[in-house]
């Protein structure tokens, strides 16, 4: 565990991790039940179809996991000096241009990869990250169908190009294994993990310019980063178009990847920041296994200057 890692006063790391395990596997059970059309556990209602006057399984699953995690954290740590920001509550919590007044902030996405949830691919995730003054220090990425629970612990003050930290994966039995990043180094042999749904002409032009190796298509951001942590892929790129990912899409995957020695930054090298008054993570964001990150960023920034001269990477 990183020696410099800190937590809010009165919070012990082992106790926090134990509660995050319990809550995460409970969230997995909720999502798996909704995904199979079964009665969910813990008293949550069965999902109503649109024909029945409901909003369908995605909305029900989102809300159930949101309540499960928020209520669970509040019950386990009633006096903790932190705030929780969820995708499901953001409209009520946030004012444009104004960060939340919180030194410690949990950032939650109760269901990342809604299209994959609906399509039954199993490539959806739960993201939960604890940030201090805008920088993630702890990340949790849960992949319910694969029964993988990824943790990442980052030392305070770690930079975006890699950090002293620890990242590992657990199964339901509590068995753990460390992240294993790939040994690939040359850009032409790096494996890209990409979305099935969010690809426009600019991104295709950028990928052509980078001339990477193979491509693997995966749903959620957490699922993409997990493939890097397993050594199956090496690079993920988010290029904003009409919309941009939000804080809850990126915070937990970034924490887990950087804790493993990987990198996650803008193409111009800037670090991602959170709770800065704008939840959009706009620009060209590059996540990688680390060793080739600087070369990737330089080549991407140069390509974008030609592809989209006014774009801020």
């Amino acid at each position: 565990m990183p020696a410099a890692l800190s937590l809010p006063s009165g919070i012990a790391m082992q106790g926090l991790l134990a509660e995050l395990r319990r809550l995460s596997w409970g969230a997995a059970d909720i999502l798996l039940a909704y995904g199979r059309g079964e009665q969910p556990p813990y008293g949550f209602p069965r999902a109503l179809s649109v024909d029945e006057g409901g909003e369908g399984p995605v909305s029900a699953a989102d809300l159930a996991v949101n309540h499960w995690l928020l209520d669970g954290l509040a019950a386990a740590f009633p006096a903790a000096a932190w705030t929780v920001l969820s995708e499901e509550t953001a409209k009520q919590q946030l004012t444009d241009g104004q960060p939340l007044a919180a030194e410690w902030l949990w950032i939650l996405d109760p269901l990342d990869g809604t299209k994959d949830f609906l399509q039954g691919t199993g490539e959806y995730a739960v993201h939960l990250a604890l940030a201090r003054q805008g920088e993630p220090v702890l990340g949790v990425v849960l992949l319910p169908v694969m029964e993988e629970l990824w943790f990442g612990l980052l030392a305070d003050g770690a930079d975006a190009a890699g950090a002293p930290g620890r990242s590992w994966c657990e199964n339901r039995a509590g068995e753990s294994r460390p992240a294993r990043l790939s040994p690939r180094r040359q850009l032409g042999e790096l494996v890209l993990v990409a979305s099935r749904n969010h690809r426009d002409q600019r991104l295709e032009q950028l990928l052509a310019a980078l001339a990477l190796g193979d491509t693997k298509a995966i749903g959620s951001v957490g699922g993409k980063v997990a493939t890097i942590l397993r050594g199956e892929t090496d690079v993920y790129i988010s290029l904003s178009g009409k919309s941009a990912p939000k804080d809850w899409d990126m915070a937990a995957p970034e924490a887990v990847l950087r804790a493993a020695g990987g990198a996650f930054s803008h193409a111009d090298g800037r670090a991602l920041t959170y709770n800065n008054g704008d939840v959009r993570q706009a620009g060209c964001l590059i996540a990688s296994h680390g060793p080739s990150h600087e070369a990737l960023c330089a080549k991407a920034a140069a390509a974008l200057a030609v592809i989209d001269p006014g774009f801020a990477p």
Side-chain angles (χ1 to χ4, degrees):
M1 187 180 300
L5 185 78
S6 63
L7 290 171
S9 176
I11 304 298
M13 177 58 73
Q14 293 308 314
L16 177 59
L17 292 177
E19 193 61 25
L20 290 173
R21 291 183 182 101
R22 184 188 72 83
L23 293 172
S24 294
W25 292 120
D29 290 336
I30 294 168
L31 289 171
L32 290 169
Y34 277 116
R36 293 190 292 252
E38 299 173 355
Q39 176 66 46
Y42 312 116
F44 290 105
R46 183 180 66 87
L48 295 177
S49 70
V50 175
D51 292 340
E52 294 172 310
E55 298 182 5
V58 171
S59 178
D62 254 329
L63 292 173
V65 173
N66 187 70
H67 284 301
W68 169 254
L69 293 175
L70 267 60
D71 292 350
L73 283 171
F77 307 101
W82 56 42
T83 300
V84 184
L85 171 66
S86 168
E87 179 182 16
E88 296 303 316
T89 59
K91 288 183 179 179
Q92 291 76 41
Q93 289 181 270
L94 297 175
T95 301
D96 286 346
Q98 296 182 21
L100 290 173
E103 177 185 2
W104 295 93
L105 181 69
W106 285 107
I107 303 172
L108 167 65
D109 188 344
L111 178 54
D112 186 67
T114 54
K115 288 184 179 180
D116 287 272
F117 183 82
L118 276 175
Q119 293 166 0
T121 68
E123 296 169 1
Y124 58 87
V126 178
H127 298 170
L128 183 61
L130 180 62
R132 184 182 191 186
Q133 296 177 336
E135 181 180 346
V137 296
L138 185 157
V140 181
V141 172
L142 169 70
L143 306 177
V145 173
M146 296 193 70
E147 294 205 339
E148 289 187 348
L149 179 59
W150 287 93
F151 286 100
L153 306 179
L154 278 165
D156 289 351
D159 62 44
R166 186 162 67 95
S167 181
W168 73 95
C169 181
E170 297 183 4
N171 61 20
R172 281 183 182 265
E175 299 164 332
S176 66
R177 67 179 190 274
R180 293 185 176 90
L181 306 182
S182 92
R184 293 178 286 268
R185 295 294 182 270
Q186 300 302 314
L187 296 193
E189 65 179 0
L190 299 184
V191 179
L192 175 77
V193 59
S195 296
R196 294 188 181 90
N197 303 307
H198 303 288
R199 301 185 68 155
D200 61 15
Q201 183 179 7
R202 292 158 57 251
L203 179 58
E204 296 293 352
Q205 290 177 287
L206 174 58
L207 296 179
L210 290 175
L212 302 174
D214 293 337
T215 299
K216 182 172 184 175
I218 293 290
S220 76
V221 179
K224 292 180 179 70
V225 165
T227 67
I228 300 176
L229 294 167
R230 297 187 211 106
E232 300 166 1
T233 69
D234 308 291
V235 183
Y236 162 58
I237 298 174
S238 170
L239 185 63
S240 299
K242 294 180 179 179
S243 62
K246 307 296 193 299
D247 281 5
W248 41 82
D249 296 308
M250 298 300 181
E254 180 197 353
V256 175
L257 180 60
R258 286 178 48 212
F264 208 140
S265 74
H266 287 263
D268 60 8
R270 287 179 296 123
L272 279 67
T273 60
Y274 301 91
N275 191 33
N276 59 17
D278 183 355
V279 295
R280 296 174 302 165
Q281 291 290 342
C284 179
L285 311 181
I286 300 180
S288 80
H289 68 332
S292 309
H293 196 77
E294 187 174 342
L296 277 167
C297 287
K299 195 167 184 179
L304 285 169
V306 175
I307 295 167
D308 192 349
F311 185 72

